Amino acid sequence: MDHIVTVQEAVTAFADWNEPTNAELAAIESEMPLILADVDLIDAQIIAMDHTPNEVDTRRVRRALARVLTEWRILANRTADEATGGAA
């Protein structure tokens, strides 16, 4: 019966030491533009699937995808610059 836990243990699943570090929070913050672009792309795709896609839906998805790719490029370049010690 080792798998039985108290209500307190179940509600308080994470200890104080299990919180994200400042470095992890900073990494999430630096990726936030990409995350938001991904959300916009998913929203555009859902709208396009909700009915027969028209030209506006196609353009919306294409623009959202372009934004995702742009944010990926920016994040990749930023990461590469940090790894090499700064911009050239």
Side-chain angles (χ1 to χ4, degrees), residues 12-32:
T12 315
F14 297 104
D16 292 339
W17 54 265
N18 205 12
E19 294 295 318
T21 64
N22 288 338
E24 291 169 332
L25 292 173
I28 293 169
E29 184 67 30
S30 71
E31 293 177 9
M32 193 54 66

Side-chain angles (χ1 to χ4, degrees), residues 5 10 15 20 25 27 29-31 37 42 51 59-60 64 72 80 84 87:
V5 296
L25 292 173
E29 184 67 30
S30 71
E31 293 177 9
I42 291 170
H51 57 273
R59 279 188 270 154
R60 183 180 295 126
W72 264 111
T84 59

Side-chain angles (χ1 to χ4, degrees), residues 3-4 12 19 22 25-27 34 46 51 53 67 76 78 88:
H3 61 280
I4 297 175
T12 315
E19 294 295 318
N22 288 338
L25 292 173
L34 176 60
I46 290 170
H51 57 273
R67 182 173 166 222
R78 187 180 324 131

Side-chain angles (χ1 to χ4, degrees), residues 52-79:
T52 304
N54 55 32
E55 186 178 336
V56 173
D57 295 329
T58 303
R59 279 188 270 154
R60 183 180 295 126
V61 170
R62 209 171 34 232
R63 275 194 316 269
L65 180 58
R67 182 173 166 222
V68 167
L69 295 174
T70 298
E71 294 299 336
W72 264 111
R73 179 180 47 81
I74 291 169
L75 183 62
N77 288 340
R78 187 180 324 131
T79 305

